[in-house]
């Protein structure tokens, strides 16, 4: 059976605006890995279809991962991991199993490798997700890491290489949800949008200028 998840909650923090939310996220980064994992800047690899690395706010990760099941055989791949916010969240939440980040930008991959090397259950691959074998993985996380044509190539790669059922979380998949629909073996588990953060006092403020859609999928290679 999958172990119970222990996900820390942002709701206990005194957060009243977007700047304080992001500052609290950086404090969580530093408490775990000794450094901030805030946005590293623009990608140098846009011509290759890569998008800017964007750390996912912790409150969004808490929501996206709350229904996911992990066990000792689970292996999460964060596609376009950037500085490693998802890897930090995986550790902080004490999920069982292993987590790997793959990052195309060599400088960012080196940064993430420098802090993850202290954790036996975390590692980082420098390179393209399209060149990375997907057979070991049970869970995939994407925060809009590349252009739609590359996403569609990646979906085909999943279908060819998955060795077991996979759960895929696609954050900020705006306009790309349809890339999965109607394909053999894929089923939609959950979808929704993030735009605002609700404080402990019940007030809300916008984190994004526009709603950011997400979808969570299950792929069964035996279907």
């Amino acid at each position: 059976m999958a172990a119970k998840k222990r996900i820390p909650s942002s709701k206990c923090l005194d957060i009243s605006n977007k700047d304080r939310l992001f500052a609290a996220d950086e404090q969580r980064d530093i408490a775990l890995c000794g450094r901030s994992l805030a946005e590293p800047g623009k990608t140098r690899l846009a011509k290759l279809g890569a998008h800017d690395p964007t750390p996912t706010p912790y409150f969004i990760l808490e929501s996206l991962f709350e229904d996911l099941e992990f066990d000792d055989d689970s292996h999460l791949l964060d596609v376009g991991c950037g500085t490693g916010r998802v890897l930090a969240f995986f550790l902080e939440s004490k999920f069982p199993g292993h987590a790997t980040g793959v990052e195309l930008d060599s400088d960012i991959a080196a940064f993430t490798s420098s802090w993850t090397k202290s954790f036996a259950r975390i590692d980082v691959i420098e390179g393209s997700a399209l060149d990375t074998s997907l057979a070991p993985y049970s869970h995939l996380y994407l925060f809009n890491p590349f252009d739609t044509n590359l996403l569609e190539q990646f979906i085909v790669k999943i279908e060819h290489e998955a060795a077991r059922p996979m759960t895929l979380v696609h954050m900020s998949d705006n306009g790309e949800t349809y890339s999965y629909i109607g394909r053999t073996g894929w089923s939609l588990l959950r979808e929704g949008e993030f735009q605002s953060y609700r404080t402990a006092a019940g007030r809300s403020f916008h984190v994004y200028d526009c709603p950011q859609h997400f979808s969570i999928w299950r792929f069964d290679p035996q279907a």
Side-chain angles (χ1 to χ4, degrees):
M1 293 182 61
K4 290 184 177 180
K5 301 174 287 297
R6 293 179 286 179
I7 298 179
S9 175
S10 297
K11 296 302 180 185
C12 61
L13 301 174
D14 180 18
I15 295 169
S16 58
N17 57 51
K18 179 177 173 180
D19 289 341
R20 288 190 176 184
L21 174 67
F22 288 166
D25 281 355
E26 289 191 66
Q27 290 173 11
R28 287 173 73 167
D29 296 337
I30 293 167
L32 181 67
C33 59
R35 62 196 74 183
S36 168
L37 306 178
E39 186 172 340
K42 299 291 185 181
T43 182
R44 302 176 300 166
L45 304 170
K47 290 183 178 180
L48 299 180
H51 291 176
D52 294 336
T54 307
T56 311
Y58 279 105
F59 84 95
I60 292 178
L61 292 174
E62 290 164 10
S63 177
L64 292 175
F65 279 73
E66 65 181 354
D67 296 327
L68 303 190
E69 294 186 351
F70 294 84
D71 58 32
D72 290 340
D73 293 325
S74 296
H75 197 158
L76 168 69
L77 179 67
D78 182 9
V79 178
C81 68
T83 56
R85 172 68 60 71
V86 172
L87 305 179
F89 177 75
F90 182 89
L91 288 169
E92 185 187 40
S93 302
K94 296 182 170 56
F95 291 124
H98 197 96
T100 295
V102 58
E103 173 54 50
L104 187 62
D105 188 299
S106 58
D107 289 345
I108 298 174
F111 170 89
T112 309
S113 295
S114 71
W115 76 259
T116 56
K117 65 184 180 183
S118 300
F119 301 95
R121 297 191 300 118
I122 304 293
D123 58 74
V124 175
I125 299 169
E126 178 193 329
S128 170
L130 293 173
D131 296 329
T132 301
S133 173
L134 300 181
Y137 301 104
S138 58
H139 296 73
L140 303 171
Y141 182 81
L142 295 77
F143 191 140
N144 192 24
F146 32 51
D147 291 345
T148 301
N149 65 317
L150 295 183
L151 172 64
E152 292 176 352
Q153 292 177 46
F154 187 69
I155 291 172
V156 171
K157 182 178 173 67
I158 293 171
E159 294 168 345
H160 289 166
E161 297 183 9
R164 51 178 164 168
M166 283 184 172
T167 300
L168 183 148
V169 179
H170 195 151
M171 171 57 189
S172 194
D173 65 355
N174 306 312
E176 295 182 325
T177 310
Y178 295 104
S179 297
Y180 302 93
I181 293 174
R183 303 186 72 95
T184 300
W186 291 90
S187 56
L188 179 64
L189 301 180
R190 181 161 64 99
E191 65 178 329
E193 293 179 341
F194 293 105
Q195 184 177 15
S196 300
Y197 176 84
R198 181 174 293 276
T199 71
R203 295 184 297 104
S204 296
F205 57 83
H206 282 349
V207 177
Y208 299 109
D209 293 335
C210 301
Q212 299 297 303
H213 188 268
F214 74 87
S215 54
I216 302 178
W217 300 86
R218 185 74 165 171
F219 175 68
D220 186 349
Q222 302 302 317

